[in-house]
Amino acid sequence: MWRYRLFRLAATLVQAVPLGLSYTLAWLGGWLAFRFAAGPRAALRANLRHVLGPAATDAEVDRAVQGAFRTSAYNYIDMFRIPVVAPDALLQRTTLHHP
């Protein structure tokens, strides 16, 4: 239940502040998650180590892991902002690919 409430609070806050500030906070949140979420960080590191291959250095893997945490945080910002984005603006930000 606390996660639901946290998500609702985050959605409310994100919708009330400028987009640039939201992305700045997402960058910080991604960095904090990378630093303090040891279990998810280790799991993602193991997955990306496999994907990047044995030639990848530890620093390269860590950069990829940190980037994945930040991208996830940015995705949450975009999801939380959907209710306040005009449908036309949402369509302009969407690319459709037809087979």
Side-chain angles (χ1 to χ4, degrees):
M1 184 57 115
W2 67 269
R3 286 183 183 166
Y4 170 77
R5 289 189 177 137
L6 183 62
F7 270 67
R8 292 290 301 199
L9 175 63
T12 300
L13 293 174
V14 164
Q15 292 172 19
V17 300
L19 183 60
L21 178 57
S22 293
Y23 283 138
T24 299
L25 294 173
W27 185 95
L28 177 61
W31 181 83
L32 289 170
F34 172 77
R35 290 287 180 216
F36 297 109
R41 183 181 63 237
L44 184 55
R45 181 178 281 132
N47 288 340
L48 288 177
R49 164 67 63 197
H50 178 72
V51 169
L52 295 173
T57 67
D58 288 342
E60 290 170 330
V61 174
D62 281 344
R63 276 194 301 274
V65 171
Q66 192 168 8
F69 272 96
R70 285 191 180 133
T71 297
S72 182
Y74 294 145
N75 287 338
Y76 277 112
I77 296 298
D78 291 340
M79 179 183 68
F80 291 151
R81 290 187 61 84
I82 287 174
V84 296
V85 176
D88 290 342
L90 192 58
L91 287 174
Q92 288 176 343
R93 296 179 186 175
T94 305
T95 302
L96 300 176
H97 298 276
H98 299 282

